[in-house]
Amino acid sequence: AELVAAWGEPDRIDESVYGLDRYIYLNEYENYFFVTMKDGEIVEIFIPGVEFDYIDINSEGTTADINGLTYISAVEHSGVILGDEAEARLPLDYKGNICGLLLQTKDFAKGKDPKSTLQFSTKEDIEAQLLDLIQVSRVAEGLEPLIWDKKLWDVARTHSEDMASE
């Protein structure tokens, strides 16, 4: 309720790979973020791009600027901060620049298993979120967002399924 009071209704609610509701706030791709909810509580927040501050870390830094860095994850390509109440992951580009913030409660970060709940509908939500991130990048570069085309999307999906079956 506090989230909706502060930010309004989300533009969409997707299912996360964890089987939880993910509130997507597009904000015309200029202030995009999503929040994952579990039992009415926020357990995860993701902010892509360069517009955030978190415990004296701003989005314009590099790995050298991550205060309290616990380790760098080669798998997630992010700097990780393990705190008492939360875990923060700062995605990095291939030059080591910070390009987002994923903040998760400690309990959620410990107990997640995305493989247990991945369904076809979840894949569609992930595809939509990927398109969102492309749109965020385009808008940040001063470009117009892409226009979604269902026919083109269906052709791309069929091609991907065909390639995967080879």
Side-chain angles (χ1 to χ4, degrees):
E2 290 177 41
L3 174 68
V4 172
W7 287 92
E9 292 294 328
D11 292 287
R12 21 167 247 267
I13 299 176
D14 291 349
E15 181 182 349
S16 75
V17 295
Y18 314 111
L20 302 173
D21 285 342
R22 180 166 283 164
Y23 288 43
I24 310 293
Y25 288 87
L26 299 175
N27 299 313
E28 298 184 16
Y29 303 109
E30 291 182 7
N31 294 306
Y32 173 93
F33 69 98
F34 68 66
V35 175
T36 304
M37 305 293 290
K38 181 177 182 182
D39 301 326
E41 299 288 325
I42 296 172
V43 294
E44 176 181 66
I45 299 170
F46 176 67
I47 305 166
V50 295
E51 296 297 322
F52 69 85
D53 288 303
Y54 175 71
I55 58 168
D56 297 329
I57 303 167
N58 70 45
S59 55
E60 297 176 6
T62 66
T63 53
D65 300 310
I66 301 175
N67 299 325
L69 178 68
T70 306
Y71 66 94
I72 296 177
S73 169
V75 173
E76 297 173 347
H77 203 64
S78 60
V80 179
I81 301 170
L82 301 177
D84 293 335
E85 300 294 320
E87 292 186 12
R89 285 171 170 68
L90 296 132
L92 304 168
D93 67 14
Y94 290 97
K95 294 180 182 176
N97 297 311
I98 298 168
C99 55
L101 171 66
L102 174 65
L103 188 60
Q104 300 173 324
T105 64
K106 193 82 159 183
D107 290 339
F108 179 68
K110 275 193 316 190
K112 62 187 182 190
D113 180 10
K115 293 177 266 178
S116 64
T117 58
L118 192 56
Q119 306 293 327
F120 185 77
S121 62
T122 309
K123 289 196 306 190
E124 289 179 334
D125 290 342
I126 292 169
E127 290 170 350
Q129 292 165 27
L130 177 60
L131 178 60
D132 291 342
L133 294 175
I134 292 168
Q135 304 291 43
V136 167
S137 294
R138 290 182 61 83
V139 169
E141 294 295 322
L143 302 170
E144 291 293 317
L146 299 172
I147 297 172
W148 187 82
D149 182 299
K150 180 171 177 16
K151 185 176 179 181
L152 182 59
W153 198 263
D154 289 342
V155 168
R157 172 170 294 167
T158 301
H159 178 67
S160 294
E161 289 170 354
D162 181 51
M163 290 182 64
S165 69
E166 293 295 318

